[in-house]
Amino acid sequence: MSLGLFDRSLHEPALLEFALVADSHFTEAKSKGSKEFPSRAKQKGRAEMAWKLLADLKPEFVLHMGDIVQEYPGVEEFQESFQAALTQMQACHSKIYFVAGNHDVGDKPDLTMPTHPVEKESLEWFHQQCGRSWYAIEKDECHLIIINSQILNTGSKDEKAQQAWLDQELEKTDGKRIFLFLHLPLYLENQDDEALGHYDVISEPARSSLLNLVKKHQIELIGGAHVHFAFLDKIEGARYFQFASPAFTRPGFGYLFQAPSPPERGRDDRDKLGIYLIRVLTDRTDVHFIRTYGFSQPEQWCPPPFQKLLTPLSAGQNSSPMGISLRQPLSSTTEIPIGFPNLLRPKIRNDYPLLMLLESGTRHVRAPLSDWNDPFQSKRLNLLSQEDVAMTVTTLATGLSDKMRESLELSKATCLEWQMAGSLFPDEKILSKLIELSRSLPFELSLAPVIPGEIFKGKQHPRTRIGYTLDELADLDQKLQQIDITLDRALCRIHAEESPFEIISELTSLLPTYKRIHQVDLTMELASLEDQINLNRAVAALFHITALPGARLFFDPLVDIDRTMDISHGLLDPLCNPRETFTALRTLNAVLFTNRPKNFVRIEQIHISNRQGYVLTEKNNTHILLFSSDKPWSNRDSDTLRQVMDQNDHAGSKKLYHLVKGNVFTGNQQEITSLLLEKELTGPLLISSIQPQP
C-alpha cells in the first residue's frame, strides 16, 4: 500500500489543519496570451497538480483564496472556464470554501483598473456557483471569517450587508481564535500605501475600517492573495500573510531582487510557486509553504518510491543549533516601475529572506547592532524574533553607552557578541561592565576577536578574521581564570580550508577542559562558488554539531554575494530561491533536531569505497551520513553499507533521506541498498533508524 506523497512523522497532531490555494488561474492550453507568455498554457496542469497534492494531504477543508480562472467576468469564455475549474477541483476530495477574487466577480472600484468593477450579475452568478462571498467557518475554538474584498468601497447594498454581518460576527467571537481571509491585500509596504491607481491594495475608507477591527478584536492571522508573491507583516498581534500562487508569479515584483529577470519577464519564477498547509496548534499557528516548482505531475515533483518530508518551521525547532549570519540586511524595499496594471509606482518589501529563514527551521540569527538603530530593519528583525528565532546582536565597539543599552533592550537579544578590534581579550573593566549588563537585561555574553592579516588562497590582499581559533580559545580560558570571570560563550571560526569534522571533533575534546568558557559557537562561511563544496561542508558541520549540545552553528551568507571583493554562493540565489545547500540543511536540521533528546553518544568516520561518511550513534537512534562519489553505487558498496548498519544500527525500519531534494524513503536494509543500486542519487544521503514506539 502506498504511503502517500508526504512524510509527516516530525509533526505533532494539530487542533485544526486546513489547506490553502491562492490564485490558481485555471486556463485551457490554447488560451489567449499563451503566445505572449508560454507558461500560461501550463496553468491548467499546475492547478491540477495542486489539487492532487491536496488530496494526499487530506486536510479538513481547503480554502481557495480567489482568482479561480484566468478569464474574468464579461468575456465569452469565462463561465465555461469557471465550470471546468470547479470540476478540476473535485480531485482534492475535500470540502472547498471560496474567497471572491477579481477574476471571479470583478475588480475593486477604481477608474484606473484594467478590468470591469464588480457588477450585480457577476456577483450573483458567483454566489450561485460557490455560495455567499462573506461567511464564517467554525471549528472548535477557531473562527475563520471570509469576506469579499472586491465590493469594499462600492457603497452597494452588498457591501453594507457584508459590513453589518462582519461587525455582528466579530462581536460573538469572544474567547475564540479568529482568522480573517480576503483576496485583496490591505496593504503591501505600509498601512498608508497609496491606493488610487494601485492594482494590489484596498482603498480607503475600507482599509482603515478593517485595520481597526483587526486591532480591536485581536485577530490572530490575516491572509490575502492577489499578488502571487509571499509577504509577512504584523498588525499589532496579528500575523499578516500574502500567499503565493501555484500558477505563475506576477511581473514587476522581480524588481525586489538584485538579479536578472526570471523567465518570461518575471512571470515564471517557478521556485516561488506552491500551496499552503495551515496547522493550528495549541500555542501557535504554523503556515507551511509547499513548493510545487511549476510541475504538473506529482511524479515529477517527488519521484516514487520517495515521499516529500514536511519539515517543522523555526517555532517547532526548539533544539536546533542552526543559525544564519546576516551579512546583508534582512529586508529591503523597492518601487515597481509605472506600467500595467498600475498607474503609480507601488512600493514593495522583500520578505523572502525572512520567510526562508522560518521555512528552514533556523533558530538563531547574528545581526549587527546597527540594524536595531534602523527603524525598518528593527521592525523586520523583531518580527523574526516573534517567530521564535533567537537574536545574537554583534557590535564592533570600544565601550558601552546608554544608546547601546537602549538598542539592546529594543532587540530583545538572547546574546550579545562583543567584537574586539585587533585584540584577543577585552579590557577587564569593560568585560566586567558587559557581564553586569548581560545579567540585568538579561542576555548571554559572547566574545569574538577581530584580527586582520589572514591569508586566503587566490586573494591579493589579506582578510580580517572574526572569531577565535582553537589555540586562542585555550589562552582566553587561562586569562579568564586569572581575573576570576566566567564567560557564557565564545565564537570560533571554521576557516574555508579547515575540515568541519576535525574542528568540531577537537573542540568536543577541548571544551570540557575549559574552566571559564561555558560554551563555544561556530561560524562558517560558504566561501566557494562551487555549490558541491559548500553543500558538503555545510552538511558535515551541521551533522557534527550534534557533538556539542548547546552550541550554535552560524552559516554565512544567506543570499549570494556577487558584487563585492569576496563573492560566494549563499543558501539562497540572487532571486532568493533555495539552493541545494538550503534544502539539505533544512532537511537535516529537521531530522536531527526536532524534539531532540540530549543523548548523544559518538560520531565515527567511515568509508564505503571512495565515499566518505560518518555514523552518529545515539541512545535510541543511529544516523549514517554518506557523501556523493564520482563512481556509481555497486553491489560491493551495498554489502559494505549493510555491514556498517549491522555494526552500528538497531533492527527495524529505516529512512533514507535524499537531502538536496527533501525526499525520504522508508524501508528495511535490503530495500534501501536496492534503491541505492537502482537510483542515481546525487548529493549527501542520510540513513536513520526508526525506533518502535513504546
Side-chain angles (χ1 to χ4, degrees):
M1 183 178 71
S2 173
L3 293 174
L5 295 171
F6 293 92
D7 183 317
R8 306 174 65 174
S9 58
L10 298 179
H11 295 273
E12 61 183 294
L15 300 175
L16 171 65
E17 192 171 275
F18 63 98
L20 189 148
V21 179
D23 300 277
S24 56
H25 284 266
F26 175 95
T27 187
E28 297 293 351
K30 295 182 180 180
S31 106
K32 297 175 183 177
S34 295
K35 291 184 178 179
E36 181 182 10
F37 298 110
S39 64
R40 181 164 289 179
K42 300 177 182 179
Q43 287 172 210
K44 179 179 179 179
R46 290 175 177 180
E48 184 176 1
M49 166 77 168
W51 301 115
K52 288 180 178 178
L53 294 186
L54 292 171
D56 192 85
L57 280 169
K58 297 180 176 64
E60 191 161 342
F61 59 87
V62 177
L63 184 61
H64 191 286
M65 292 292 297
D67 286 4
I68 294 171
V69 293
Q70 181 65 41
E71 309 301 343
Y72 48 88
V75 301
E76 182 180 352
E77 304 89 350
F78 172 72
Q79 291 191 5
E80 181 181 350
S81 181
F82 200 98
Q83 294 290 355
L86 294 180
T87 300
Q88 185 191 60
M89 291 179 185
Q90 296 173 8
C92 76
H93 304 300
S94 292
K95 170 68 176 176
I96 303 175
Y97 294 96
F98 297 93
V99 178
N102 56 301
H103 280 253
D104 305 318
V105 299
D107 236 318
K108 72 172 186 173
D110 183 329
L111 294 177
T112 73
M113 289 299 99
T115 56
H116 296 299
V118 179
E119 297 177 346
K120 180 181 178 180
E121 294 75 18
S122 62
L123 185 58
E124 287 180 351
W125 192 85
F126 178 84
H127 286 171
Q128 291 170 5
Q129 306 304 313
C130 300
R132 195 171 70 165
S133 56
W134 58 92
Y135 58 95
I137 306 170
E138 294 195 58
K139 298 290 181 180
D140 298 323
E141 64 182 71
C142 300
H143 199 88
L144 284 70
I145 294 176
I146 289 84
I147 64 171
N148 184 342
S149 61
Q150 307 312 118
I151 60 175
L152 297 175
N153 297 308
T154 62
S156 66
K157 291 182 179 179
D158 290 304
E159 182 190 15
K160 293 173 183 176
Q162 175 177 260
Q163 186 62 54
W165 170 86
L166 178 60
D167 291 337
Q168 183 180 18
E169 197 69 20
L170 286 169
E171 289 297 334
K172 70 178 187 180
T173 55
D174 287 347
K176 292 200 171 187
R177 298 169 68 175
I178 309 172
F179 303 80
L180 175 65
F181 297 96
L182 67 170
H183 182 69
L184 274 176
L186 290 163
Y187 63 88
L188 288 182
E189 188 197 28
N190 290 305
Q191 295 182 20
D192 59 356
D193 279 353
E194 289 185 63
L196 181 62
H198 194 326
Y199 181 66
D200 296 319
V201 297
I202 293 172
S203 304
E204 295 291 0
R207 183 198 303 173
S208 291
S209 175
L210 285 172
L211 287 170
N212 289 335
L213 288 175
V214 168
K215 298 167 186 176
K216 176 182 176 181
H217 294 281
Q218 298 180 324
I219 291 176
E220 180 174 331
L221 185 147
I222 309 158
H226 185 68
V227 293
H228 298 224
F229 261 65
F231 295 92
L232 173 60
D233 202 16
K234 268 292 188 74
I235 303 174
E236 292 195 355
R239 297 156 86 208
Y240 170 45
F241 285 90
Q242 298 302 321
F243 297 115
S245 163
F248 62 91
T249 46
R250 285 265 306 278
F253 285 80
Y255 280 98
L256 280 172
F257 313 109
Q258 294 183 347
S261 172
E264 298 184 15
R265 309 197 292 276
R267 196 180 187 275
D268 199 26
D269 192 351
R270 291 181 290 273
D271 282 9
K272 293 185 174 68
L273 305 181
I275 59 176
Y276 292 84
L277 180 66
I278 316 295
R279 305 184 73 249
V280 182
L281 305 172
T282 303
D283 59 341
R284 66 179 191 274
T285 296
D286 285 347
V287 178
H288 294 272
F289 181 51
I290 299 172
R291 297 173 190 278
T292 53
Y293 298 103
F295 289 126
S296 58
Q297 295 298 327
E299 294 78 13
Q300 301 169 303
W301 174 75
C302 184
F306 285 97
Q307 297 174 283
K308 190 68 69 174
L309 182 67
L310 189 66
T311 59
L313 307 175
S314 295
Q317 286 281 54
N318 292 332
S319 302
S320 172
M322 192 164 82
I324 296 293
S325 297
L326 293 180
R327 189 181 300 194
Q328 299 150 290
L330 180 61
S331 184
S332 60
T333 59
T334 192
E335 294 185 2
I336 299 175
I338 295 173
F340 177 85
N342 293 295
L343 269 296
L344 48 67
R345 291 195 294 267
K347 295 179 181 179
I348 52 176
R349 182 185 62 243
N350 184 5
D351 286 345
Y352 276 91
L354 186 155
L355 289 165
M356 298 293 282
L357 284 171
L358 300 179
E359 181 181 330
S360 69
T362 294
R363 286 290 294 188
H364 305 278
V365 162
R366 283 175 75 237
L369 185 60
S370 56
D371 281 353
W372 274 270
N373 296 324
D374 179 305
F376 173 72
Q377 296 301 333
S378 175
K379 182 179 178 182
R380 308 315 297 162
L381 287 165
N382 272 310
L383 194 158
L384 194 60
S385 68
Q386 290 167 27
E387 296 288 327
D388 284 346
V389 176
M391 294 293 162
T392 293
V393 177
T394 68
T395 181
L396 185 63
T398 56
L400 289 165
S401 66
D402 291 339
K403 182 179 179 180
M404 182 181 297
R405 182 187 180 106
E406 291 173 4
S407 298
L408 287 169
E409 290 175 341
L410 177 66
S411 72
K412 297 182 177 62
T414 58
C415 183
L416 171 64
E417 180 184 303
W418 190 260
Q419 298 177 344
M420 303 163 292
S423 174
L424 296 172
F425 193 74
D427 177 90
E428 185 177 336
K429 291 182 179 179
I430 290 180
L431 181 57
S432 297
K433 290 180 180 179
L434 284 170
I435 290 176
E436 181 181 348
L437 178 62
S438 71
R439 302 298 179 258
S440 65
L441 281 180
F443 55 78
E444 292 183 303
L445 178 64
S446 179
L447 294 183
V450 177
I451 307 298
E454 190 171 60
I455 304 300
F456 273 82
K457 288 183 179 179
K459 299 291 185 182
Q460 176 186 357
H461 300 291
R463 296 299 191 263
T464 299
R465 159 172 56 97
I466 301 177
Y468 289 98
T469 66
L470 293 182
D471 291 340
E472 291 166 352
L473 283 172
D475 293 337
L476 173 64
D477 187 64
Q478 287 290 328
K479 292 180 179 179
L480 289 170
Q481 290 181 52
Q482 293 171 10
I483 60 175
D484 195 25
I485 287 180
T486 299
L487 184 65
D488 296 315
R489 319 183 82 87
L491 185 73
C492 177
R493 184 185 182 196
I494 302 176
H495 191 278
E497 297 170 13
E498 292 177 323
S499 160
F501 170 65
E502 293 176 0
I503 293 295
I504 296 174
S505 295
E506 189 173 350
L507 185 55
T508 303
S509 300
L510 291 174
L511 187 59
T513 69
Y514 300 152
K515 293 182 172 56
R516 295 295 183 176
I517 304 174
H518 180 67
Q519 187 55 267
V520 175
D521 296 328
L522 293 140
T523 178
M524 191 176 81
E525 182 182 346
L526 305 174
S528 178
L529 294 179
E530 295 185 34
D531 285 339
Q532 191 66 40
I533 293 175
N534 289 333
L535 170 65
N536 289 344
R537 285 175 51 78
V539 165
L542 187 60
F543 188 80
H544 290 106
I545 201 69
T546 54
L548 290 169
R552 299 159 186 166
L553 174 61
F554 294 96
F555 295 103
D556 169 30
L558 175 60
V559 184
D560 283 10
I561 303 293
D562 63 359
R563 55 203 76 183
T564 72
M565 293 290 286
D566 295 307
I567 59 176
S568 59
H569 282 179
L571 300 182
L572 309 177
D573 68 17
L575 289 169
C576 291
N577 290 326
R579 290 192 177 275
E580 287 188 339
T581 305
F582 174 92
T583 305
L585 289 178
R586 185 196 70 199
T587 306
L588 185 62
N589 185 45
V591 175
L592 292 182
F593 299 106
T594 302
N595 301 318
R596 178 179 178 78
K598 294 183 179 179
N599 57 9
F600 168 78
V601 179
R602 67 181 185 277
I603 295 179
E604 297 176 318
Q605 191 169 14
I606 59 171
H607 288 88
I608 297 178
S609 292
N610 61 340
R611 284 178 177 78
Q612 184 181 6
Y614 302 94
V615 178
L616 164 63
T617 305
E618 302 177 292
K619 181 179 179 182
N620 297 317
N621 294 287
T622 299
H623 304 282
I624 301 172
L625 178 65
L626 297 173
F627 290 96
S628 291
S629 169
D630 56 359
K631 294 183 179 179
W633 195 266
S634 67
N635 285 311
R636 183 176 179 180
D637 295 335
S638 296
D639 292 339
T640 305
L641 177 59
R642 278 194 288 267
Q643 292 174 11
V644 171
M645 288 191 280
D646 287 338
Q647 292 171 4
N648 295 277
D649 214 346
H650 303 271
S653 296
K654 295 169 178 59
K655 288 181 181 285
L656 169 64
Y657 297 94
H658 190 193
L659 295 179
V660 297
K661 299 294 184 181
N663 297 340
V664 55
F665 168 76
T666 304
N668 58 35
Q669 275 190 189
Q670 181 60 48
E671 290 169 330
I672 285 177
T673 52
S674 297
L675 184 62
L676 292 173
L677 281 168
E678 177 187 349
K679 305 284 186 180
E680 293 184 9
L681 304 178
T682 59
L685 305 174
L686 183 73
I687 302 171
S688 299
S689 60
I690 303 174
Q691 293 309 303
Q693 297 297 319

